[in-house]
DNA sequence: TTGTAGGCGTTATCAG
DNA sequence: CTGATAACGCCTACAA
């Protein structure tokens, strides 16, 4: 006794066959079923709280109204906001979301791919892992081979074959440097990563190019690198500490891994008596809610997370339904100037 | 051509029947299939990246390894942390999670219930809505009637029939008042809600009782009520503003709806030149990450969100597998003293 | 040691 | 107007 109400139950209650019930409930009656029967069936279905079994429907060729989503970590506001956009756009179109955290791990992403394959999701949205290896594309290929459309979001290469949703990370970093420059900064350091991630490389290149174009000098000592993928671990403190020991090297730091790391630095510096932005300026990336709360409020590059999520879902739905969509959706970023960057020009 | 690899494909490739493949892949061979066949089948399955269709498996009576989860809003750190606990515990046991936001809306929860019914999830975890009405239980009853085990989390009554995971909200609020009292506060106000929510009522009663037991006076004017469910809207500012206009009424405020609201107040007060904790002390609920970042750092009641999520999932799995589990899992809260509450005793 | 048959809930096709 | 029937992919008896 599983309690689920099936077509048969309704058929039995209505004294008709299951196929008639199916016809009625799917509205596929060109005035072929008597009005009385229709009413009775609808009524019973309502009373019994009938919900079609989408698994059985899928067996008959209908796509499952479920899509898979992998993000590194749902606990991070950046991804949860994005996820909400995805879910909302999905709900509008009747799609539900199976959510998985990859923990920035190839294995996590592999597990997600397997789950998606098993579930026979209608499509998948992937915010990829950092861990290097060609295997990531292998996983995506697997989904593709199985006929599951994939849309990548945030973490993707500017040029690649998968449909993807992103901002122009290169240009955003470029503009960030220009912003710092406009505020009078000349010695601009960067917290970069060792991650094998297109968007991080793009941001770093944007930084390099901007520095070059502005005739500013870069030395290796101004480039700090985050190795671990966790933005709030001891390594964050180490980097913050390292920077604080060389305050003369730079007046401003661009934290390209994102706001969470920038915030971690600010917190660390505060604890150690280093003033932001007087002793050091810092600029983040992503525009996370916390950045507007912390003191000083964080200057950052806003990514329209929610909208990007929505866009990704809409793109995916197009792909699922066989309509062609864009190969690349580029959203506008926006530099939000707050108080974590000192205006050197003004103060002199 | 859907691309999915099925048992048949493997059978064809191996030159055996589908049932043999099924037997082998399910390990149900008491030395009944030849080692060579086994090896061949395993090999082919591997190469073809075969993943069983769990929808088809479910039709055969096996429970879907998918559970449903409704939370008010995944964007809120409290719920995302909880969600992570649920997902992690689920992953350990092979369960995936379909996530839905209710937006604190009965309709949202209804939609979730319908989705869960359609998907035939193996079980559901519900963090209920605020909106009043008996309908919530109707929805849960619907799931139950369909044989879908339900575990409630965070938002539940102390005494009710559903298995549930929570802290002792009454006692936590009671202890919060005692904490404020110990720090020298006597005029203690509260931000309560108008929501029809057991946990909020419990917290409010805990506050009332503690005040009584400590011989402290309560006047209606010390009780502010949040009506909307959104903790960061204009109403939050209105309440903060209202409080700021009557600083003589109270030296401390207990924000029982949660940290997010408390933080909103602090931000508002800062913008308006009111000092926390010198002009007013405030204490939150939940222990959200942001609370440790904001200045002054927020004194609050920690709920073990991640562990509660894990516990809920483990409870649910027991229910799914027919093993009996606890009816109520009560986790320990912990008062975390930071700097948003002034120590009046020390400063005199 | 392996194959065949039936059925899970649904839908589509074809009879009645 | 309505009912059988087959099929989707898988699993389990049972038959060979």
């Amino acid at each position: 006794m599983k309690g689920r109400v099936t077509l048969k139950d309704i058929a039995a209650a209505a004294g008709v066959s299951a196929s008639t019930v199916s016809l009625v409930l799917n509205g596929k009656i060109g005035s072929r079923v008597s009005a009385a029967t229709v009413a009775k069936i609808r009524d019973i279905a309502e009373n019994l709280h009938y919900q079609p079994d989408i698994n059985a429907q899928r067996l008959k060729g209908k796509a499952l109204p479920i899509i898979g989503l992998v993000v590194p970590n749902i606990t991070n506001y950046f991804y949860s906001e994005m996820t909400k956009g995805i879910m909302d756009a999905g709900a509008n179109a009747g799609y539900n979301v199976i959510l998985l955290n990859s923990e920035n791990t190839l294995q996590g992403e592999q597990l997600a791919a397997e789950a998606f394959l098993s579930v026979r999701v209608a499509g998948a949205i992937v915010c990829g892992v950092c861990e290097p290896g060609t295997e990531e594309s292998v996983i995506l290929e697997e989904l593709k081979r199985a006929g599951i459309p994939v849309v990548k979001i945030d973490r993707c290469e500017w040029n690649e074959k998968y449909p993807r949703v992103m901002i122009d990370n290169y240009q955003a970093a470029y503009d960030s440097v220009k912003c710092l420059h406009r505020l009078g900064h000349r010695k601009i350091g960067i917290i970069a990563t060792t991650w094998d991630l297109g968007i991080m490389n793009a941001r770093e290149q944007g930084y390099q190019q901007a520095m070059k174009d502005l005739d500013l000098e870069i030395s290796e000592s101004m480039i700090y690198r985050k190795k671990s993928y966790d933005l709030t671990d001891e390594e964050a403190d180490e980097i913050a500490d390292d920077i604080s020991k060389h305050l003369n090297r730079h007046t401003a730091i661009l934290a390209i891994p994102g706001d969470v790391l920038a915030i971690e630095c600010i917190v660390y510096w505060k604890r150690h008596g280093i003033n932001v932005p007087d002793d050091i300026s810092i600029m983040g990336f992503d525009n996370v809610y916390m950045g507007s709360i912390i003191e000083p409020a964080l200057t950052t590059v806003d990514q329209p997370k929610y909208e990007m999520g929505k866009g990704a879902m809409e793109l995916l739905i197009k792909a699922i339904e066989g309509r062609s969509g864009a190969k690349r959706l580029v959203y506008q970023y926006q530099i939000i100037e707050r108080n974590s960057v000192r205006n050197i020009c003004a103060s002199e």
Side-chain angles (χ1 to χ4, degrees), chain A:
Chain A
M1 145 65 187
K2 302 188 315 220
R4 270 88 160 182
V5 182
T6 73
L7 276 187
K8 269 191 194 160
D9 300 323
I10 298 176
V16 298
S17 79
S19 30
T20 303
V21 178
S22 173
L23 279 182
V24 170
L25 262 26
N26 286 301
K28 304 215 170 161
I29 32 167
S31 72
R32 305 161 351 105
V33 183
S34 72
T37 318
V38 169
K40 203 201 314 184
I41 289 175
R42 292 237 169 88
D43 204 46
I44 295 176
E46 181 87 1
N47 281 332
L48 264 40
H49 301 280
Y50 170 75
Q51 289 295 138
D53 183 332
I54 57 174
N55 303 291
Q57 288 184 326
R58 198 200 60 75
L59 275 188
K60 288 301 296 181
K62 204 179 274 192
L64 255 193
I66 296 180
I67 69 109
L69 170 63
V70 216
V71 297
N73 182 351
I74 191 60
T75 270
N76 182 318
Y77 182 80
F78 182 77
Y79 301 118
S80 64
E81 187 74 12
M82 194 172 258
T83 297
K84 186 142 190 300
I86 290 170
M87 289 173 58
D88 286 354
N92 285 339
Y95 285 91
N96 287 123
V97 173
I98 289 192
L99 175 65
L100 281 113
N101 290 322
S102 71
E103 304 290 350
N104 268 317
T105 261
L106 271 174
Q107 202 214 344
E109 197 166 303
Q110 174 74 55
L111 286 172
E114 278 166 17
F116 297 164
L117 247 24
S118 265
V119 174
R120 261 66 170 171
V121 293
I125 298 179
V126 176
C127 185
V129 303
C130 303
E131 220 175 281
T134 54
E135 297 175 50
E136 173 171 19
S137 57
V138 171
I139 295 164
L140 295 174
E141 285 305 311
E142 226 165 282
L143 291 174
K144 206 176 173 189
R145 197 171 337 112
I148 300 179
V150 173
V151 169
K152 295 178 79 170
I153 186 166
D154 178 48
R155 293 178 167 189
C156 27
E157 307 286 330
W158 185 255
N159 283 310
E160 60 167 300
K161 62 179 175 179
Y162 286 98
R164 58 208 178 279
V165 172
M166 59 194 307
I167 62 164
D168 184 341
N169 286 282
Y170 171 90
Q171 197 61 43
Y174 190 100
D175 285 358
S176 301
V177 173
K178 282 216 310 204
C179 170
L180 293 170
H181 181 263
R182 179 171 46 75
L183 293 171
H185 293 272
R186 297 297 175 266
K187 295 191 287 181
I188 301 173
I190 186 176
I191 305 179
T193 67
T194 59
W195 313 345
D196 186 25
L197 212 50
I199 57 171
M200 290 304 157
N201 297 335
R203 290 176 194 175
E204 193 172 339
Q205 281 160 24
Y207 160 79
Q208 302 263 5
Q209 190 61 47
M211 293 294 276
K212 203 171 180 182
D213 292 352
L214 293 165
D215 274 324
L216 303 181
E217 213 174 323
I218 302 180
S219 73
E220 260 308 310
S221 66
M222 294 159 72
I223 302 183
Y224 303 83
R225 290 195 186 275
K226 187 91 177 63
K227 290 190 276 283
S228 100
Y229 309 129
D230 192 337
L231 263 22
T232 57
D233 59 2
E234 327 75 48
E235 206 200 345
D237 284 353
E238 281 168 28
I239 289 178
D241 187 61
D242 200 8
I243 294 174
S244 71
K245 285 192 180 124
H246 307 283
L247 291 180
N248 57 322
R249 279 188 196 154
H250 21 56
T251 61
I253 295 283
L254 186 59
I256 67 167
D259 284 355
V260 179
L261 181 58
I263 288 168
E264 191 75 4
C265 285
I266 293 178
V267 168
Y268 182 91
W269 292 334
K270 269 184 179 175
R271 272 208 317 268
H272 292 79
I274 292 165
N275 185 284
V276 177
D278 290 342
D279 297 330
I280 180 105
S281 293
I282 187 163
M283 182 163 178
F285 219 104
D286 292 348
N287 190 25
V288 146
Y289 180 58
M290 240 185 321
S292 67
I293 292 312
I294 196 172
E295 227 164 337
L298 186 65
T299 291
T300 190
V301 177
D302 175 64
Q303 295 200 52
K305 304 158 274 297
Y306 182 84
E307 287 72 22
M308 287 167 74
K310 269 189 96 165
M313 189 66 184
E314 285 161 4
L315 201 55
L316 182 61
I317 290 175
K318 277 194 188 140
I320 290 171
E321 297 176 349
R323 294 178 289 144
S324 68
K327 284 298 277 180
R328 180 175 63 204
L329 236 49
V330 179
Y331 279 75
Q332 284 310 306
Y333 58 87
Q334 192 188 349
I335 291 184
I336 300 189
E337 292 186 46
R338 292 194 283 233
N339 310 317
S340 67
V341 174
R342 176 170 161 222
N343 187 338
I344 295 179
C345 306
S347 57
E348 304 200 8

